[in-house]
Amino acid sequence: MSRKLPPIQPDTTWLIHDIASLGHIVRNQRAKLALRIDDAAALCGVSADLLSRCENGKPITTNKLLLILQGMGLHLMTLPAQHAVRLAPALQALTKELDQTP
């Protein structure tokens, strides 16, 4: 049985408040890459079950999370909370602009 791709959510925020919002970003990135969960998991070097747990906001180890982010072409950035709140709208706008350029 082939698995369906998740729909792309165009207004995904890059500001992570909890593990569920991080999972949403990972799932949305997989949708943008048009990867089924098994293919994405193989690309990341993790099991499909572990990738599913990540996408569904379940806790996973940090080293596995970093493998997933790297495999999906994502990077983790940390900065002071007050800066993140102020930068989030600009990053959102920039992401939309970059997604629309060929």
Side-chain angles (χ1 to χ4, degrees), residues 21-89:
S21 57
L22 180 57
H24 183 76
I25 289 169
V26 170
R27 176 177 280 138
N28 203 48
Q29 180 70 359
R30 180 168 64 83
K32 286 179 181 179
L33 296 173
L35 292 170
R36 295 177 315 137
I37 196 161
D38 344 36
D39 298 328
L43 184 67
C44 296
V46 299
S47 69
D49 179 61
L50 187 121
L51 180 55
S52 175
R53 287 198 318 260
C54 175
E55 289 184 357
N56 287 303
K58 306 289 188 221
I60 61 172
T61 62
T62 306
N63 63 329
K64 296 295 184 184
L65 173 61
L66 293 174
L67 281 174
I68 291 169
L69 294 177
Q70 181 180 17
M72 301 297 283
L74 297 169
H75 293 278
L76 184 64
M77 181 190 317
T78 60
L79 52 139
Q82 69 271 20
H83 296 162
V85 170
R86 292 183 63 199
L87 282 172

Side-chain angles (χ1 to χ4, degrees), residues 13-15 83-93:
T13 179
W14 293 103
L15 195 57
H83 296 162
V85 170
R86 292 183 63 199
L87 282 172
L91 286 173
Q92 193 74 18

